[in-house]
């Protein structure tokens, strides 16, 4: 190889690609978050939260997501869709929705896009840069358990387990595959960030089902066939790692289970004697460490507040940090440094 060729090859090794947005992101350089109080920042797993200039109004369950676009985040709460362009230090209103967004979630898309969808209802709100538009979901009057957004395609998982694809940004939808079984009610679903044909769903009473071929065929996971599978998380660092939080009907006990084969088999890794497990703790998998899971518990009852748990399944190591908010319904990782966490907060009183 010539000297010029060697230099070019070395340059290619250090120049970041669009597939790794963390190269282009910054850490937030602020001691205070300028916003309505719905999102804060922690660098200590929740032990210390950055103060906010605003006070969160009831009743709000804020959801937050980091985008591929450098230093850009979207958050939703009550009827507001907001955006940050400075790694979460300040927030600006993009749009006011006529819908209460308490049951909605926000899913990052390619570039500066995001999609706001509900587990109970439609429509879908599309965020592209500073513009917000609205389209109907694939199921008339029905909600979505998950929405996956990639260049040129949206994939939705409906609350009965049927998959739908859209190639025109949600204007029209086409059925894909078949539901895992008849008369299913989905609590949650996760789509493999590396392979959109690998999907895991958690359902009422009947546990977990997994597909590797985009819903053409499904396998019922073992040995959790008699479990209410409330919450799921999949590791972006290693999608063979899947976690499920649910209620074992035979033993009347809640657990977090772990799968190391993409959701085909699960084993118990944590039970409710060690953590406050409810019917649907929110869970988030680290994008950098396949053996690191965060989950939360919170309630306004008796002014309890919220706990953020940090859990390492391989060793059982479990820590928690408490704050005075009524819950932590959302968590996002800073792409430049996943130890920096953005927390979407809840206020019920």
């Amino acid at each position: 190889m010539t000297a010029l060729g060697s230099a070019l090859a070395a340059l290619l090794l250090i120049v970041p690609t669009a597939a790794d947005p963390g190269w282009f992101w910054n850490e937030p350089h602020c001691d205070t978050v300028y916003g309505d109080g719905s999102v804060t920042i922690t660098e200590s797993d929740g032990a210390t939260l950055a103060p906010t200039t605003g006070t969160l109004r009831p009743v709000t369950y804020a959801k937050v997501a980091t985008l591929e676009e450098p230093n850009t985040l979207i958050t939703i709460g009550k009827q507001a869709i907001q955006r940050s362009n400075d790694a979460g230090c300040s927030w600006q209103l993009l749009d006011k929705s006529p819908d209460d967004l308490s049951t909605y979630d926000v899913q990052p898309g390619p570039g500066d896009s995001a999609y706001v969808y509900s587990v109970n209802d439609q429509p879908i709100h599309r965020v592209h840069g500073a513009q917000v538009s609205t389209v109907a979901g694939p199921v008339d009057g029905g909600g979505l358990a998950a929405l996956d957004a990639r260049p040129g395609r949206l994939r939705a998982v409906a609350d009965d387990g049927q998959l739908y694809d859209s190639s025109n940004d949600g204007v029209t939808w086409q059925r894909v595959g078949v539901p895992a079984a008849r008369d299913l009610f989905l609590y949650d679903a996760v789509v493999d960030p590396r392979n959109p044909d690998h999907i895991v769903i958690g359902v009422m009473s009947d546990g977990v089902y997994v597909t590797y071929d985009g819903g053409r065929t499904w396998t019922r996971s073992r040995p959790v066939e008699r479990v209410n599978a409330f919450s799921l998380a999949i590791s972006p660092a290693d999608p063979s790692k899947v976690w499920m939080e649910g209620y074992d009907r035979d033993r009347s006990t809640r657990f977090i289970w772990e799968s190391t084969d993409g959701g085909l088999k699960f084993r118990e890794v944590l039970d409710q004697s060690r953590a406050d497990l409810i019917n649907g703790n929110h869970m988030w998998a680290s994008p950098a460490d396949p053996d690191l899971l965060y989950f939360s518990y919170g309630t306004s009852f008796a002014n309890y507040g919220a706990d953020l748990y940090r859990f390492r399944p391989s060793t059982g190591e479990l820590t928690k940090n408490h704050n005075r908010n009524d819950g932590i319904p959302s968590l996002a990782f800073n792409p430049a440094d996943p130890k920096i966490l953005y927390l979407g907060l809840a206020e019920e009183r």
Side-chain angles (χ1 to χ4, degrees):
M1 182 180 291
T2 66
L4 178 59
S6 299
L8 288 173
L11 183 62
L12 288 172
L13 289 175
I14 63 173
V15 172
T17 68
D20 187 7
W23 282 94
F24 302 97
W25 265 72
N26 297 325
E27 300 176 5
H29 298 294
C30 54
D31 296 323
T32 299
V33 176
Y34 289 80
D36 65 358
S38 61
V39 177
T40 186
I41 303 171
T42 180
E43 301 184 29
S44 57
D45 293 329
T48 303
L49 307 183
T52 61
T53 56
T55 300
L56 190 58
R57 295 183 302 153
V59 172
T60 300
Y61 299 91
K63 313 294 173 55
V64 61
T66 56
L67 306 190
E68 288 183 355
E69 180 75 10
N71 306 316
T72 303
L73 301 93
I74 296 293
T75 186
I76 60 172
K78 287 185 76 70
Q79 294 175 294
I81 301 175
Q82 301 180 79
R83 175 186 174 102
S84 172
N85 296 314
D86 56 8
C89 287
S90 64
W91 293 87
Q92 300 78 41
L93 180 67
L94 280 186
D95 194 49
K96 292 287 287 185
S97 168
D99 307 304
D100 182 348
L101 300 177
S102 297
T103 64
Y104 280 69
D105 207 342
V106 56
Q107 173 65 31
D112 63 354
S113 67
Y115 296 84
V116 179
Y117 68 95
S118 174
V119 298
N120 292 333
D121 205 351
Q122 48 182 343
I124 297 170
H125 303 290
R126 306 174 300 182
V127 180
H128 295 293
Q131 303 298 315
V132 179
S133 57
T134 299
V135 291
V139 182
D140 185 20
L144 304 179
L147 180 65
D148 180 71
R150 305 183 192 228
R153 188 179 73 181
L154 301 180
R155 171 158 286 179
V157 185
D159 58 12
D160 64 353
Q162 177 66 55
L163 307 187
Y164 295 87
D165 280 357
S166 174
S167 59
N168 55 9
D169 207 27
V171 176
T172 59
W173 296 87
Q174 299 78 41
R175 286 176 177 263
V176 178
V178 296
R182 295 183 59 185
D183 301 322
L184 291 181
F185 178 83
L186 270 66
Y187 286 119
D188 201 5
V190 288
V191 182
D192 186 331
R194 302 183 188 180
N195 173 17
D197 286 337
H198 173 210
I199 300 167
V200 185
I201 62 173
V203 307
M204 179 187 294
S205 301
D206 295 330
V208 176
Y209 293 84
V210 59
T211 179
Y212 275 94
D213 56 12
R216 294 177 182 84
T217 60
W218 295 85
T219 301
R220 195 175 181 190
S221 306
R222 297 181 289 115
V224 290
E225 293 92 341
R226 289 181 51 79
V227 167
N228 286 324
F230 294 119
S231 303
L232 293 165
I234 189 167
S235 171
D238 178 4
S240 68
K241 290 283 191 74
V242 181
W243 293 277
M244 181 265 289
E245 189 271 338
Y247 179 76
D248 187 313
R249 295 185 294 135
D250 291 331
R251 291 178 286 176
S252 301
T253 304
R254 296 174 183 85
F255 296 92
I256 291 179
W257 285 266
E258 180 185 61
S259 172
T260 58
D261 58 8
L264 294 172
K265 298 185 298 294
F266 284 84
R267 66 183 183 94
E268 301 156 13
V269 289
L270 186 72
D271 67 53
Q272 65 184 39
S273 68
R274 298 188 60 204
D276 286 308
L277 300 183
I278 58 174
N279 293 352
N281 298 77
H282 299 284
M283 302 191 297
W284 307 276
S286 166
D289 186 342
D291 188 36
L292 183 58
L293 180 72
Y294 290 86
F295 63 96
S296 69
Y297 167 78
T299 178
S300 60
F301 182 73
N303 297 320
Y304 177 81
D307 295 319
L308 181 63
Y309 288 90
R310 185 181 189 273
F311 180 46
R312 192 168 291 282
S314 66
T315 63
E317 177 189 355
L318 179 71
T319 60
K320 75 174 179 179
N321 287 301
H322 185 79
N323 65 71
R324 62 179 179 80
N325 296 281
D326 292 336
I328 305 171
S330 183
L331 181 153
F333 300 87
N334 180 285
D337 183 356
K339 294 179 182 178
I340 299 173
L341 310 178
Y342 300 98
L343 306 182
L345 303 176
E347 177 59 49
E348 298 176 337
R349 296 160 293 176

